[in-house]
Amino acid sequence: MSLKRKHGGAKNEEESRTLVARVHALEQNVLSSHQHLNDIVEIQDIAASDDGEAAFTAATALGRIYAALWAKGLLQRAKTDTADAAAQQVGDWLRDQYRKYTAQLRAQLAHSEAPVQVAALRLLLQMLDKEGTALGAFPSEGFQEVVAAVLGGARSSEHLLRALAESYVNSYDDLRLHFYRSVARLASPDYDPFAGRGRRHVRGEPVSPAFVQNAHVVLGQVRVREAGAALWVAQAASQNKSQGPSQSKSQGGAALSAAAHTRAFSEAWLAFLRLPLTPDIFKQVLLTIHKRVIPHMGDAKQLMDFLSSAYEAGGAVSLLALNGLFTLISEHNLNYPQFYEKLYALLDRNLFHVKYRARFFRLLEVFLASSHLPAYLIAAFAKRLARLALFAPPAGAVTAVAMVYNLLK
């Protein structure tokens, strides 16, 4: 399937116009009578062709067809064994064709052109909307497949990642909630944090470097839940007449629950931070974790192991971990007895030549400003800074001497 609007080189314009007209005719046949459902196969063949204009027309026509079929209930499984055998067979065949269509769309998420990827994402989420509305529940498995294809794709473009975050996840509460849940599951191949005690969610393939990179980009663009956001699968629970009121409320309420969002946010970030992060991503996370992650965690102390390991790594990584770790100590009552000992150990000659030295000295001034610190500790830091000022470059010596003066006041 190709969603490009441009014509393929193998067909001339006349043939392309003929195919487009054929798609429109087949679509009308399918929508007007169930006797023409077999025409779906021909439309899907055209959607998989190399003719860009005809393929795009066929893909969008299939979207309208499957939307109508969901609305009519033809894609839903029969609820009883007494249903007509022929109707069950037709339903099974239609669901098989629908799965092929969504699989073709997911394949287009790896297309070489960004507009094609974005168009495929739009069609996929439109299908999930129709499916969820018909079934009365958010189609979490289908959405997770989309998230896996976007985040796991080595060819996922910047435009595709931004479209997922800005156009969908940031705008709809249910998409935001299930995005976080999907990331948590996909980043934990052998563990599903939402499956209940003792249950596991096993995936055969390991997490790819592309997933780590793309997940970091999208997680950084997704904003925390704000009051008044809409639902993508609107009124899903109320549409499902087979469920009782209490069950409908429980399904529709999760997307609007602040507690559910907080838990999903926490699980997603914890799972992501357990992944093998590249040095650049590791540093970028440490730079912003005190602002973007810690304030929105259900239990910020769960980040202790990650930040402690970073703080003990030495070098620039230790400097970047300072802010997050100190936030846990000062605002979340984390007990870290060796904090000032390790902070003292960071004061060496190399400090004046690292990229983040200005950030470090600003934080150091904050850390030593507490009136509860013993005098001998302040004196030790003043002495160490004064000694380092003797060997520091001019700009560094000025900073060190100024800080010693502030400590002695």
Side-chain angles (χ1 to χ4, degrees), residues 33-176:
S33 174
H34 295 169
Q35 295 179 352
H36 298 287
L37 289 175
N38 283 331
D39 290 342
I40 290 175
V41 176
E42 185 175 349
I43 302 176
Q44 294 198 161
D45 288 341
I46 297 174
S49 69
D50 294 328
D51 188 297
E53 185 69 23
F56 180 85
T57 303
T60 53
L62 286 168
R64 290 189 291 269
I65 288 172
Y66 286 119
L69 293 177
W70 275 116
K72 294 177 181 178
L74 294 178
L75 283 168
Q76 299 184 47
R77 294 187 180 277
K79 298 182 176 64
T80 62
D81 296 333
T82 59
D84 181 71
Q88 285 187 353
Q89 188 173 5
V90 171
D92 291 341
W93 181 82
L94 285 173
R95 284 189 293 274
D96 184 56
Q97 298 304 312
Y98 176 72
R99 284 191 292 268
K100 290 179 181 178
Y101 172 61
T102 55
Q104 288 176 326
L105 289 176
R106 288 195 300 273
Q108 289 301 299
L109 295 173
H111 196 276
S112 59
E113 296 189 15
V116 178
Q117 297 177 1
V118 175
L121 177 65
R122 174 177 54 81
L123 288 171
L124 279 166
L125 291 178
Q126 286 176 353
M127 290 299 95
L128 291 177
D129 174 24
K130 304 304 179 184
E131 180 180 348
T133 302
L135 298 178
F138 190 92
S140 55
E141 291 186 8
F143 183 67
Q144 182 169 313
E145 290 176 347
V146 174
V147 173
V150 173
L151 300 187
R155 303 177 73 176
S156 293
S157 66
E158 208 177 299
H159 297 282
L160 177 64
L161 299 177
R162 185 166 57 249
L164 176 63
E166 295 296 337
S167 300
Y168 299 104
V169 176
N170 278 335
S171 301
Y172 300 95
D173 271 354
D174 49 354
L175 294 185
R176 180 187 289 106

Side-chain angles (χ1 to χ4, degrees), residues 33-349:
S33 174
H34 295 169
Q35 295 179 352
H36 298 287
L37 289 175
N38 283 331
D39 290 342
I40 290 175
V41 176
E42 185 175 349
I43 302 176
Q44 294 198 161
D45 288 341
I46 297 174
S49 69
D50 294 328
D51 188 297
E53 185 69 23
F56 180 85
T57 303
T60 53
L62 286 168
R64 290 189 291 269
I65 288 172
Y66 286 119
L69 293 177
W70 275 116
K72 294 177 181 178
L74 294 178
L75 283 168
Q76 299 184 47
R77 294 187 180 277
K79 298 182 176 64
T80 62
D81 296 333
T82 59
D84 181 71
Q88 285 187 353
Q89 188 173 5
V90 171
D92 291 341
W93 181 82
L94 285 173
R95 284 189 293 274
D96 184 56
Q97 298 304 312
Y98 176 72
R99 284 191 292 268
K100 290 179 181 178
Y101 172 61
T102 55
Q104 288 176 326
L105 289 176
R106 288 195 300 273
Q108 289 301 299
L109 295 173
H111 196 276
S112 59
E113 296 189 15
V116 178
Q117 297 177 1
V118 175
L121 177 65
R122 174 177 54 81
L123 288 171
L124 279 166
L125 291 178
Q126 286 176 353
M127 290 299 95
L128 291 177
D129 174 24
K130 304 304 179 184
E131 180 180 348
T133 302
L135 298 178
F138 190 92
S140 55
E141 291 186 8
F143 183 67
Q144 182 169 313
E145 290 176 347
V146 174
V147 173
V150 173
L151 300 187
R155 303 177 73 176
S156 293
S157 66
E158 208 177 299
H159 297 282
L160 177 64
L161 299 177
R162 185 166 57 249
L164 176 63
E166 295 296 337
S167 300
Y168 299 104
V169 176
N170 278 335
S171 301
Y172 300 95
D173 271 354
D174 49 354
L175 294 185
R176 180 187 289 106
L177 176 69
H178 289 280
F179 171 77
Y180 284 138
R181 289 179 173 178
S182 296
V183 170
R185 293 186 178 109
L186 294 168
S188 306
D190 59 347
Y191 172 63
D192 181 357
F194 305 99
R197 183 175 299 177
R199 294 179 59 186
R200 290 292 183 267
H201 175 86
V202 179
R203 294 169 57 246
E205 67 277 9
V207 176
S208 66
F211 179 90
V212 176
Q213 174 66 36
N214 294 334
H216 175 249
V217 171
V218 180
L219 281 171
Q221 294 177 355
V222 173
R223 298 185 294 273
V224 295
R225 178 179 180 268
E226 300 175 357
L231 296 179
W232 179 252
V233 183
Q235 303 298 320
S238 64
Q239 297 282 343
N240 192 352
K241 298 179 181 179
S242 66
Q243 295 179 345
S246 60
Q247 192 172 357
S248 296
K249 287 180 180 179
S250 65
Q251 288 189 348
L256 301 175
S257 167
H261 279 263
T262 298
R263 184 190 174 197
F265 175 93
S266 302
E267 294 290 357
W269 271 103
L270 289 172
F272 173 75
L273 294 177
R274 295 187 194 105
L275 295 176
L277 307 181
T278 65
D280 285 343
I281 292 177
F282 192 57
K283 291 177 181 178
Q284 290 173 29
V285 169
L286 290 174
L287 274 170
T288 59
I289 195 170
H290 64 289
K291 291 182 178 180
R292 300 186 63 91
V293 181
I294 292 178
H296 310 295
M297 291 285 293
D299 181 8
K301 290 182 181 179
Q302 292 179 300
L303 297 170
M304 180 183 67
D305 290 341
F306 173 78
L307 290 170
S308 298
S309 298
Y311 189 46
E312 295 171 2
V317 172
S318 293
L319 302 185
L320 294 176
L322 273 174
N323 214 339
L325 191 58
F326 187 76
T327 300
L328 292 184
I329 294 173
S330 60
E331 298 181 13
H332 298 275
N333 300 318
L334 174 68
N335 184 23
Y336 195 94
Q338 294 84 25
F339 177 78
Y340 284 96
E341 292 179 17
K342 295 186 181 299
L343 182 63
Y344 184 84
L346 292 176
L347 292 172
D348 58 23
R349 296 184 184 184

